[in-house]
Short mmCIF file of all heavy atoms in Angstrom, two decimals:
data_model
loop_
_atom_site.label_atom_id
_atom_site.label_comp_id
_atom_site.label_asym_id
_atom_site.label_seq_id
_atom_site.Cartn_x
_atom_site.Cartn_y
_atom_site.Cartn_z
N SER A 174 -34.96 48.18 -10.57
CA SER A 174 -33.58 48.34 -10.76
C SER A 174 -33.00 49.33 -9.66
O SER A 174 -32.05 49.08 -9.02
CB SER A 174 -33.20 48.77 -12.15
OG SER A 174 -33.84 48.04 -13.14
N TYR A 175 -33.69 50.49 -9.53
CA TYR A 175 -33.24 51.41 -8.58
C TYR A 175 -33.20 50.91 -7.12
O TYR A 175 -32.40 51.30 -6.38
CB TYR A 175 -34.07 52.77 -8.56
CG TYR A 175 -34.43 53.36 -9.93
CD1 TYR A 175 -35.60 54.05 -10.23
CD2 TYR A 175 -33.41 53.30 -10.96
CE1 TYR A 175 -35.86 54.63 -11.44
CE2 TYR A 175 -33.72 53.92 -12.12
CZ TYR A 175 -34.80 54.42 -12.39
OH TYR A 175 -35.15 55.10 -13.53
N ASN A 176 -34.24 50.09 -6.78
CA ASN A 176 -34.54 49.65 -5.42
C ASN A 176 -33.97 48.24 -5.13
O ASN A 176 -34.15 47.80 -3.97
CB ASN A 176 -36.02 49.78 -5.14
CG ASN A 176 -36.40 51.21 -4.97
OD1 ASN A 176 -36.03 51.94 -4.09
ND2 ASN A 176 -37.23 51.68 -5.86
N ALA A 177 -33.33 47.63 -6.15
CA ALA A 177 -32.88 46.27 -5.82
C ALA A 177 -31.96 46.19 -4.65
O ALA A 177 -32.16 45.26 -3.80
CB ALA A 177 -32.16 45.70 -7.02
N LEU A 178 -31.02 47.14 -4.56
CA LEU A 178 -30.15 47.12 -3.39
C LEU A 178 -30.83 47.44 -2.17
O LEU A 178 -30.42 47.00 -1.09
CB LEU A 178 -28.91 48.11 -3.61
CG LEU A 178 -27.92 47.51 -4.64
CD1 LEU A 178 -26.84 48.55 -4.84
CD2 LEU A 178 -27.43 46.28 -4.18
N ASN A 179 -31.94 48.28 -2.21
CA ASN A 179 -32.62 48.62 -0.94
C ASN A 179 -33.35 47.39 -0.55
O ASN A 179 -33.48 47.14 0.67
CB ASN A 179 -33.62 49.70 -1.20
CG ASN A 179 -32.95 51.10 -1.52
OD1 ASN A 179 -31.81 51.28 -1.03
ND2 ASN A 179 -33.61 51.90 -2.19
N ILE A 180 -33.89 46.56 -1.49
CA ILE A 180 -34.77 45.45 -1.17
C ILE A 180 -33.71 44.44 -0.54
O ILE A 180 -34.03 43.85 0.57
CB ILE A 180 -35.43 44.80 -2.37
CG1 ILE A 180 -36.44 45.80 -2.90
CG2 ILE A 180 -35.98 43.53 -2.17
CD1 ILE A 180 -37.03 45.38 -4.37
N SER A 181 -32.59 44.25 -1.13
CA SER A 181 -31.62 43.35 -0.54
C SER A 181 -31.20 43.78 0.76
O SER A 181 -31.05 42.87 1.67
CB SER A 181 -30.55 43.02 -1.53
OG SER A 181 -29.72 44.20 -1.57
N ALA A 182 -30.98 45.03 1.04
CA ALA A 182 -30.44 45.50 2.31
C ALA A 182 -31.53 45.15 3.38
O ALA A 182 -31.21 44.75 4.48
CB ALA A 182 -30.34 47.01 2.32
N ILE A 183 -32.80 45.31 2.99
CA ILE A 183 -33.99 45.00 3.97
C ILE A 183 -33.97 43.56 4.20
O ILE A 183 -34.11 43.24 5.39
CB ILE A 183 -35.25 45.66 3.42
CG1 ILE A 183 -35.23 47.20 3.54
CG2 ILE A 183 -36.45 45.06 4.31
CD1 ILE A 183 -36.46 47.87 2.76
N MET A 184 -33.79 42.70 3.19
CA MET A 184 -33.75 41.36 3.50
C MET A 184 -32.64 40.98 4.41
O MET A 184 -32.87 40.29 5.36
CB MET A 184 -33.48 40.56 2.13
CG MET A 184 -34.86 40.49 1.22
SD MET A 184 -34.46 39.80 -0.35
CE MET A 184 -34.20 38.19 -0.10
N VAL A 185 -31.42 41.44 4.11
CA VAL A 185 -30.28 41.06 4.90
C VAL A 185 -30.44 41.64 6.50
O VAL A 185 -30.14 40.90 7.34
CB VAL A 185 -29.06 41.68 4.38
CG1 VAL A 185 -27.78 41.44 5.32
CG2 VAL A 185 -28.78 40.99 3.02
N ILE A 186 -30.95 42.86 6.54
CA ILE A 186 -31.14 43.42 7.86
C ILE A 186 -32.15 42.50 8.64
O ILE A 186 -31.94 42.14 9.78
CB ILE A 186 -31.50 44.86 7.84
CG1 ILE A 186 -30.38 45.80 7.43
CG2 ILE A 186 -32.03 45.36 9.32
CD1 ILE A 186 -30.81 47.24 7.13
N THR A 187 -33.37 42.20 8.05
CA THR A 187 -34.22 41.30 8.72
C THR A 187 -33.62 40.02 9.09
O THR A 187 -33.68 39.55 10.23
CB THR A 187 -35.37 40.99 7.82
OG1 THR A 187 -35.76 42.18 7.16
CG2 THR A 187 -36.61 40.41 8.46
N GLY A 188 -32.95 39.38 8.05
CA GLY A 188 -32.33 38.05 8.41
C GLY A 188 -31.19 38.10 9.52
O GLY A 188 -31.15 37.28 10.38
N VAL A 189 -30.35 39.16 9.48
CA VAL A 189 -29.28 39.24 10.51
C VAL A 189 -29.90 39.56 11.84
O VAL A 189 -29.57 38.87 12.91
CB VAL A 189 -28.38 40.39 10.03
CG1 VAL A 189 -27.47 40.82 11.22
CG2 VAL A 189 -27.43 40.04 8.90
N SER A 190 -31.06 40.38 11.83
CA SER A 190 -31.68 40.67 13.13
C SER A 190 -32.24 39.32 13.77
O SER A 190 -32.09 39.01 14.95
CB SER A 190 -32.80 41.59 13.04
OG SER A 190 -32.26 42.85 12.46
N MET A 191 -32.82 38.52 12.91
CA MET A 191 -33.35 37.21 13.36
C MET A 191 -32.16 36.42 13.86
O MET A 191 -32.35 35.81 14.89
CB MET A 191 -34.07 36.53 12.11
CG MET A 191 -35.51 37.04 11.75
SD MET A 191 -36.01 36.26 10.29
CE MET A 191 -36.58 34.60 10.92
N ALA A 192 -31.11 36.39 13.23
CA ALA A 192 -29.94 35.50 13.54
C ALA A 192 -29.41 36.01 14.86
O ALA A 192 -29.04 35.27 15.74
CB ALA A 192 -28.81 35.61 12.54
N LEU A 193 -29.26 37.53 15.07
CA LEU A 193 -28.76 37.94 16.28
C LEU A 193 -29.71 37.58 17.51
O LEU A 193 -29.33 37.34 18.52
CB LEU A 193 -28.58 39.53 16.18
CG LEU A 193 -27.39 39.82 15.37
CD1 LEU A 193 -27.37 41.41 15.15
CD2 LEU A 193 -26.08 39.55 15.95
N TYR A 194 -30.91 37.67 17.14
CA TYR A 194 -32.03 37.41 18.22
C TYR A 194 -31.84 35.91 18.67
O TYR A 194 -31.74 35.70 19.92
CB TYR A 194 -33.41 37.63 17.63
CG TYR A 194 -34.46 37.34 18.68
CD1 TYR A 194 -34.72 38.37 19.69
CD2 TYR A 194 -35.30 36.24 18.73
CE1 TYR A 194 -35.72 38.07 20.75
CE2 TYR A 194 -36.22 35.90 19.61
CZ TYR A 194 -36.49 36.87 20.56
OH TYR A 194 -37.33 36.66 21.53
N ARG A 195 -31.73 35.11 17.76
CA ARG A 195 -31.52 33.60 18.02
C ARG A 195 -30.33 33.44 18.82
O ARG A 195 -30.32 32.75 19.81
CB ARG A 195 -31.50 32.85 16.67
CG ARG A 195 -31.58 31.31 17.04
CD ARG A 195 -31.35 30.55 15.70
NE ARG A 195 -30.08 30.30 15.32
CZ ARG A 195 -29.20 29.30 15.73
NH1 ARG A 195 -29.72 28.39 16.50
NH2 ARG A 195 -28.01 29.14 15.31
N ARG A 196 -29.27 34.01 18.38
CA ARG A 196 -27.96 33.89 19.14
C ARG A 196 -28.00 34.45 20.66
O ARG A 196 -27.25 34.09 21.41
CB ARG A 196 -26.80 34.50 18.41
CG ARG A 196 -26.49 33.81 17.07
CD ARG A 196 -25.04 33.77 16.74
NE ARG A 196 -24.83 32.75 15.69
CZ ARG A 196 -24.53 31.53 15.89
NH1 ARG A 196 -24.35 31.10 17.14
NH2 ARG A 196 -24.42 30.67 14.89
#
Side-chain angles (χ1 to χ4, degrees):
Chain A
S174 312
Y175 309 148
N176 288 295
L178 285 177
N179 295 333
I180 296 168
S181 68
I183 290 168
M184 282 170 75
V185 172
I186 290 173
T187 316
V189 168
S190 306
M191 285 173 77
L193 285 173
Y194 181 77
R195 188 183 85 90
R196 293 214 163 270

